[in-house]
Amino acid sequence: ILFAKDFQDHTKESIKQELSNAQKTNKYPLILGVDEEGGYVTRVSRFEAFRSEKFKSPKAYYEEGGEELLKETETEKAKLLKSIGLNLNLAPVADVSTNEEDFIYIRTFGRNAKETSDLVKKMVEYANENEINSCLKHFPGYGNNEDTHTGIAIDNRDYQEITENDYLPFIAGIEAKVPSILVSHNVI
């Protein structure tokens, strides 16, 4: 998994060469991944060497231009990542959040479980069409928990709430043939 610091002093060509060398020196093909959700989480497009402006969040593109713009930008994102040697994008965020106060809200579609499921399915399909691996996150659903990057989050939600709400986007992604799922940092 590469982070922003891994791209900071690179150009498209230099990182492509570095990742190509890594592939060549390994007996088995490497899975080279990055968090390029867009919006709050960008590791590649935040640097002008890779894109003139960082990708906005999928939510922003969807609100701006519907599925057409979402597909267009996800296609561009996949092509960018593949062009530099990456083969896994740790996205889309499949968490359900409609409350702007939730930590995870700005990384979600900000919609209910049904709408989120429909959009997550599309995101997986866009990635598959562009032959880049995607990864749903953060299973089983982040809920309204605190930022787990700075402490421990204990999820005390009722199991039924999780299965009837938070699972739905993950089920939709699995049905769309997502190749991987990232488990949350939360203690359930």
Side-chain angles (χ1 to χ4, degrees), residues 34-82:
V34 69
D35 288 293
E36 189 68 27
E37 297 170 13
Y40 181 73
V41 178
T42 56
R43 308 290 193 234
V44 180
S45 67
R46 68 172 59 190
F47 300 108
E48 287 188 16
F50 298 93
R51 193 168 189 267
S52 61
E53 62 179 297
K54 74 178 189 169
F55 284 106
K56 297 178 194 174
S57 71
K59 177 181 185 268
Y61 287 124
Y62 181 72
E63 289 175 350
E64 186 180 319
E67 288 180 24
E68 185 177 328
L69 184 58
L70 186 61
K71 182 176 184 175
E72 180 183 314
T73 55
E74 288 303 307
T75 297
E76 179 190 350
K77 189 184 298 178
K79 288 180 179 179
L80 169 62
L81 299 181
K82 284 175 39 178

Side-chain angles (χ1 to χ4, degrees), residues 79-91:
K79 288 180 179 179
L80 169 62
L81 299 181
K82 284 175 39 178
S83 76
I84 59 176
L86 296 164
N87 51 28
L88 170 65
N89 187 13
L90 294 167

Side-chain angles (χ1 to χ4, degrees), residues 6 18 28 83 103 114 119 124 126 132 162 165 170 186:
D6 298 307
E18 187 172 303
Y28 300 102
S83 76
F103 163 74
K114 168 73 172 100
L119 291 166
V124 171
Y126 303 152
I132 191 151
I162 294 171
N165 188 57
F170 293 96
N186 299 346

